[in-house]
């Protein structure tokens, strides 16, 4: 219990402190209230707004290698399609950038049937070297790469591809939200010239068409990126592209793309791992690979021992394009994403 003297000292201390609090008027309280509100508002204004949504998104997949008998290839493509749809349900485009099949009508029908059973964005496709493999088909339906099928040809392979997708030619143009997409394809295989090998053969007509479309994009879409797709990459660009020519007319194609720095050139073919090898590179244009849906390869140019399936998601903003790399088996992003800025007027 406090003594009388202690109680007196305590009351005196309270009286000394009281003016510090009791001296504020209602006006002071109102001013303080306003001050604290202003400070709170200032702090709120410092909070960063949520990131802006892209203008639109699209996906780039390659090397699905769908055949009527390869159930693993079909499973992996179904898995990738489901992943892309979950990530970007409003995607404007799904690009299948070559090596869709092994070149038979049955393979194409398996691919189209698979696509018909799953939700996905509108599909546009290019031809890869495997889409010419009807030339190795035996009468029994097997594959024999030691001798060509005399009843099949590059011309028939192109005609089948065009018929399956409803194209007039194996190369075409698409405009999405004011952005230009140019789809290229190799037009011949070894039956035309053995030196073509697994490379893309681009006719003079296709190269002239590409020159015209790139020139049109330069005048009409100043500052905007232009998206160009071909299954085979240019040599000496990305990791793994020093092992073969890739494109027969690589010098002509490289010169065309070099003259248009707003191009993003997408390829596949090598299957090289997006995570462990360099598969996006800034040249005079930007080159990017989409690896493979069916089977990813490592830097020793052999298939990975673990199950991996990879492709790209691309978000387009007014001032930049963001390329995101996706691994579909474990449904995870491969970090970091790659952003390329553009000075769009």
């Amino acid at each position: 219990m406090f003594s009388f003297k202690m109680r007196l000292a305590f009351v005196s201390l309270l009286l000394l402190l009281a003016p510090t609090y009791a001296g504020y008027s209602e006006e002071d309280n109102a001013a303080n209230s306003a001050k604290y509100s202003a400070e709170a508002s200032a702090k709120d204004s410092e909070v960063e707004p949520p990131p802006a949504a892209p203008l639109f998104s699209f996906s780039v997949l390659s090397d699905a290698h769908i055949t009527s008998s390869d159930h693993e290839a079909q499973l992996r493509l179904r898995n990738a399609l489901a992943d892309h749809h979950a990530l970007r349900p409003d995607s404007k485009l799904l690009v299948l950038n070559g090596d869709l099949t092994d070149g038979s009508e049955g393979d194409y029908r398996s691919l189209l049937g698979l696509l018909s059973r799953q939700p996905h964005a509108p599909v546009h496709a290019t031809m890869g070297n495997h889409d010419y493999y009807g030339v190795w088909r035996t009468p029994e339906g097997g594959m024999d790469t030691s001798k060509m099928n005399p009843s099949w040809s590059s011309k028939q392979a192109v005609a089948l591809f065009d018929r399956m997708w409803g194209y007039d030619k194996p190369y075409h143009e698409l405009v999405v939200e004011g952005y230009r997409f140019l789809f290229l394809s190799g037009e011949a295989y070894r039956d035309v010239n053995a030196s073509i090998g697994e490379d893309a053969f681009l006719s003079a007509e296709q190269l002239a068409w590409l020159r015209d479309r790139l020139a049109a994009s330069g005048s009409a879409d100043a500052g905007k990126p232009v998206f160009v797709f071909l299954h085979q990459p240019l040599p000496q660009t990305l990791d793994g592209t020093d092992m073969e020519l890739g494109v027969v007319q690589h010098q002509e194609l490289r010169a065309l793309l070099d003259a248009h720095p707003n191009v993003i050139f997408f390829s596949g073919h090598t299957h090289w791992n997006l995570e462990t090898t360099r598969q996006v590179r800034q040249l005079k244009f930007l080159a990017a690979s989409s690896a493979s849906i069916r089977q990813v390869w490592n830097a020793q140019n052999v298939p990975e021992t673990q199950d991996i399936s990879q492709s790209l998601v691309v978000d387009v903003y007014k001032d930049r394009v963001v390329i995101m790399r996706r691994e579909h088996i474990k449904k995870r992003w491969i970090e970091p994403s790659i952003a390329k800025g553009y000075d769009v007027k």
Side-chain angles (χ1 to χ4, degrees):
M1 179 178 293
F2 286 136
S3 69
F4 174 77
K5 288 184 179 180
M6 290 178 68
R7 286 199 297 266
L8 181 62
F10 183 72
V11 171
S12 298
L13 180 60
L14 288 178
L15 290 173
L16 287 171
L17 292 175
T20 306
Y21 298 98
Y24 284 118
S25 66
E26 290 185 6
E27 289 80 8
D28 292 330
N29 290 333
N32 279 332
S33 233
K35 175 186 174 185
Y36 296 142
S37 295
E39 287 176 353
S41 297
K43 287 181 180 178
D44 288 344
S45 67
E46 291 171 5
V47 177
E48 291 199 8
L55 300 175
F56 66 94
S57 303
F58 65 93
S59 298
V60 186
L61 294 71
S62 69
D63 299 273
H65 294 280
I66 298 299
T67 68
S68 55
S69 59
D70 188 344
H71 300 297
E72 180 63 27
Q74 295 180 32
L75 176 62
R76 291 201 175 194
L77 181 56
R78 286 198 301 270
N79 184 53
L81 290 173
D83 199 21
H84 277 282
H85 184 68
L87 292 167
R88 297 292 187 275
D90 297 323
S91 176
K92 294 293 184 180
L93 183 64
L94 177 74
V95 179
L96 298 179
N97 200 14
D99 277 8
L100 318 172
T101 68
D102 267 354
S104 76
E105 183 164 342
D107 295 343
Y108 277 108
R109 295 204 178 280
S110 293
L111 172 58
L112 294 175
L114 188 157
L115 289 170
S116 72
R117 293 188 292 273
Q118 289 196 230
H120 55 77
V123 176
H124 284 257
T126 69
M127 287 190 78
N129 51 304
H130 272 251
D131 300 306
Y132 285 92
Y133 274 24
V135 78
W136 305 119
R137 189 80 55 186
T138 66
E140 297 76 29
M143 300 290 286
D144 182 356
T145 57
S146 68
K147 58 183 178 181
M148 292 188 183
N149 179 356
S151 63
W152 195 248
S153 67
S154 288
K155 185 176 180 180
Q156 288 169 289
V158 172
L160 176 61
F161 172 82
D162 289 344
R163 176 163 60 85
M164 290 290 107
W165 295 106
Y167 300 149
D168 295 327
K169 295 178 180 179
Y171 52 92
H172 68 284
E173 178 182 37
L174 177 72
V175 177
V176 176
E177 301 289 328
Y179 288 77
R180 200 175 300 263
F181 290 72
L182 304 174
F183 302 90
L184 312 178
S185 289
E187 297 172 81
Y189 191 57
R190 300 182 191 211
D191 58 309
V192 173
N193 188 324
S195 68
I196 292 175
E198 302 300 307
D199 303 329
F201 179 90
L202 307 180
S203 67
E205 179 186 18
Q206 183 171 183
L207 288 168
W209 173 85
L210 177 61
R211 183 179 297 107
D212 176 74
R213 294 297 82 210
L214 288 174
S217 71
S219 59
D221 308 324
K224 286 184 178 181
V226 180
F227 306 107
V228 180
F229 303 86
L230 176 65
H231 176 67
Q232 289 92 335
L234 282 161
Q236 307 294 327
T237 52
L238 308 172
D239 284 359
T241 61
D242 57 349
M243 298 188 176
E244 55 186 13
L245 200 59
V247 182
V248 175
Q249 295 79 12
H250 64 94
Q251 293 175 323
E252 294 95 324
L253 178 58
R254 181 69 178 264
L256 281 174
L257 300 183
D258 279 346
H260 295 273
N262 281 6
V263 161
I264 301 180
F265 179 66
F266 293 96
S267 62
H269 187 58
T270 67
H271 293 219
W272 275 36
N273 195 316
L274 299 179
E275 189 163 19
T276 59
T277 68
R278 190 179 184 184
Q279 297 302 311
V280 178
R281 186 178 175 192
Q282 181 65 58
L283 309 165
K284 290 185 178 179
F285 55 93
L286 188 69
S289 169
S290 52
S292 171
I293 293 297
R294 176 62 180 89
Q295 188 177 69
V296 173
W297 289 35
N298 61 27
Q300 286 70 52
N301 202 38
V302 295
E304 293 277 10
T305 55
Q306 56 185 323
D307 286 340
I308 302 175
S309 177
Q310 297 175 344
S311 66
L312 304 176
V313 174
V314 184
D315 286 339
V316 181
Y317 298 82
K318 184 176 181 181
D319 61 345
R320 68 194 185 281
V321 170
V322 180
I323 299 173
M324 289 160 289
R325 299 167 294 174
R326 185 72 171 175
E327 199 289 303
H328 298 294
I329 301 296
K330 295 185 177 178
K331 292 183 169 51
R332 64 182 182 88
W333 294 111
I334 298 169
E335 299 293 350
S337 57
I338 295 98
K340 168 69 174 175
Y342 293 89
D343 184 18
V344 179
K345 306 300 181 186

